[in-house]
């Protein structure tokens, strides 16, 4: 796994601490990989004859921490459904796991508060069930995060929609959630128990993605991720586009990695061509990145195998659960 700008967590904190002791990093030890840390990594790489990329790849990690194993994705070993959600959530929030599960925005769209990888919200009633499940299934986790504020949040979950929206708007200013609520909701999104609840709430889209993989002859983990991202970003695939994709796939071979990538690339281009012209380039870039496994979206570099443990390996019934 390559540690890069936009990531967060204990591994980032360790890099900050080490480069701080070397007088290369002067920023806060806040576990957030920002531009200051990237600059410090580049200076370290120059000092040690490494390519000054600002990325903590395996070569840089082994120089920084001799004898320590290179970090692996926190998603390694997780069910495929959770890995697909994390990737789409990262595209939507611009943040890597676990922070992709912490997406948090205010009332810019009239929905009160939007939260999580797929921006479940108060106004449409999609966030309330997610919060209720956390309270009911993981009370100790909820208590450890919200403390004396837990009763307020539990009462809010059962209040009328106008009251829920009024409270949501009372804890934000200019569309930004205020503290302590911002920090508490972010902590909730980082909790593995909440990752699973979010994954469960995306189950319908995931099942549809599996059905589309069967329809279009895709067999890989990345194929499922592509279909999931299409369902969540684009809503569906119109019948005429389905016919075009099926015609494309009929002329393509199947059964090896090269043909899998060719099928995904064809699907990516067809879906992009049928999307709103305003967003067409963004859709194409995002979908082709999944097809090829690497690329840049909104200025952020992605490596699907290293960052999300999403590969061209065939998905199975057990890994897809």
């Amino acid at each position: 796994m390559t540690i890069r700008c936009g990531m967060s967590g204990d591994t980032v904190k360790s890099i900050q601490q080490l480069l701080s002791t070397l007088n290369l990093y002067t920023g806060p030890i806040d576990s957030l990989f920002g531009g200051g840390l990237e600059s410090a990594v580049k200076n370290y790489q120059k000092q040690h004859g490494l390519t000054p990329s600002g990325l903590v790849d395996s070569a840089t990690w082994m120089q920084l921490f001799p004898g320590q194993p290179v970090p692996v994705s926190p998603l390694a070993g997780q069910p495929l459904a959770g890995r697909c959600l994390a990737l789409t959530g990262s595209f939507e929030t611009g943040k890597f796991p676990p922070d992709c599960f912490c997406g948090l925005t205010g009332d810019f769209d009239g929905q009160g508060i939007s939260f999580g990888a797929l921006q479940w919200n108060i106004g449409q009633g999609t966030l309330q069930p997610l919060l209720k499940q956390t309270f009911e299934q993981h009370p100790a986790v909820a208590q450890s995060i919200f403390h004396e504020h837990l009763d307020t949040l539990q009462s809010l979950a059962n209040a009328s929609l106008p009251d829920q929206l009024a409270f949501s708007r009372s804890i934000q200013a200019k569309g930004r959630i205020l503290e302590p609520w911002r920090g508490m909701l972010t902590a909730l999104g980082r909790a593995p128990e909440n990752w699973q609840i979010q994954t469960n709430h995306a189950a319908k889209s995931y099942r549809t993605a599996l059905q589309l993989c069967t329809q279009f002859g895709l067999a890989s983990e990345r194929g499922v991720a592509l279909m999931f991202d299409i369902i969540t970003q684009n809503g569906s695939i119109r019948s005429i586009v389905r016919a075009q994709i099926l015609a494309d796939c009929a002329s393509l071979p199947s059964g090896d990695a090269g043909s899998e990538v060719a099928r995904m690339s064809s699907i990516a281009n067809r879906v992009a061509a049928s999307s709103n012209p305003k967003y067409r380039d963004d859709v194409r870039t995002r979908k082709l990145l999944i097809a090829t496994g690497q690329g840049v979206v909104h200025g952020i570099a992605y490596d699907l195998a290293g960052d999300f443990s999403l590969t061209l390996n065939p998905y199975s019934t057990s890994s897809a659960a």
Side-chain angles (χ1 to χ4, degrees):
M1 177 179 176
T2 298
I3 314 301
R4 57 169 65 88
C5 193
M7 291 185 170
S8 63
D10 291 341
T11 300
V12 173
K13 184 177 181 180
S14 296
I15 297 169
Q16 289 176 327
Q17 291 172 327
L18 179 58
L19 294 182
S20 178
T21 63
L22 298 175
N23 296 317
L24 292 173
Y25 176 67
T26 59
I29 309 299
D30 57 5
S31 304
L32 303 176
F33 199 133
L37 183 58
E38 183 178 65
S39 178
V41 170
K42 288 179 179 178
N43 288 329
Y44 179 87
Q45 290 168 326
K46 288 179 180 179
Q47 289 180 4
H48 292 82
L50 300 167
T51 301
S53 63
L55 307 174
V56 182
D57 53 15
S58 57
T60 302
W61 177 270
M62 289 187 287
Q63 184 71 46
L64 284 165
F65 303 102
Q68 293 190 28
V70 177
V72 298
S73 168
L75 299 170
Q78 294 296 313
L80 181 54
R83 287 178 274 151
C84 291
L85 176 60
L87 175 62
T88 291
S90 291
F91 289 150
E92 294 294 327
T93 64
K95 298 178 180 179
F96 286 94
D99 287 351
C100 61
F101 294 100
C102 309
L104 185 62
T105 55
D107 195 38
F108 75 97
D109 55 359
Q111 303 304 321
I113 291 175
S114 300
F115 170 80
L118 298 185
Q119 293 291 274
W120 291 279
N121 61 72
I122 295 291
Q124 295 177 330
T126 53
L127 177 55
Q128 294 91 322
L130 192 150
L131 293 174
K132 286 182 179 180
Q133 283 192 19
T134 301
F135 303 151
E136 293 169 0
Q137 298 176 12
H138 305 287
V141 172
Q143 180 63 51
S144 70
I145 293 172
F146 294 103
H147 297 281
E148 69 272 17
H149 302 285
L150 181 58
D151 288 344
T152 298
L153 203 57
Q154 288 177 316
S155 298
L156 181 69
N158 297 305
S160 67
L161 180 59
D163 285 346
Q164 291 172 337
L165 288 170
F167 175 80
S168 299
R169 291 161 182 158
S170 75
I171 62 169
Q172 56 186 283
K174 297 181 179 179
R176 180 177 175 82
I177 310 302
L178 302 173
E179 296 293 358
W181 293 99
R182 184 175 190 81
M184 291 188 295
L185 289 169
T186 298
L188 176 64
R190 290 196 181 112
E193 295 85 356
N194 189 259
W195 299 4
Q196 186 58 56
I197 288 174
Q198 292 191 40
T199 301
N200 292 343
H201 276 255
K204 182 178 179 180
S205 295
Y206 182 72
R207 289 193 297 269
T208 303
L210 293 175
Q211 293 168 1
L212 289 176
C213 282
T214 299
Q215 185 174 356
F216 298 134
L218 296 177
S220 69
E221 295 175 340
R222 285 218 312 260
V224 180
L226 175 61
M227 293 296 102
F228 182 84
D229 196 63
I230 288 172
I231 293 300
T232 53
Q233 184 190 32
N234 305 93
S236 64
I237 300 177
R238 298 199 300 271
S239 58
I240 188 170
V241 181
R242 286 177 187 245
Q244 292 171 333
I245 292 172
L246 288 172
D248 292 342
C249 291
S251 64
L252 292 171
S254 61
D256 59 31
S259 61
E260 181 83 359
V261 172
R263 284 171 178 262
M264 286 191 287
S265 297
S266 175
I267 293 168
N269 283 315
R270 288 294 189 185
V271 170
S274 68
S275 62
N276 187 322
K278 182 178 179 181
Y279 306 110
R280 188 168 294 159
D281 288 343
D282 177 70
V283 172
R284 179 174 287 107
T285 299
R286 178 163 156 173
K287 301 302 183 283
L288 284 175
L289 185 153
I290 301 176
T292 59
Q294 292 182 321
V296 177
V297 171
H298 302 147
I300 300 174
Y302 290 86
D303 173 6
L304 266 59
D307 300 334
F308 298 91
S309 197
L310 288 167
T311 70
L312 286 176
N313 291 336
Y315 71 89
S316 64
T317 303
S318 58
S319 69

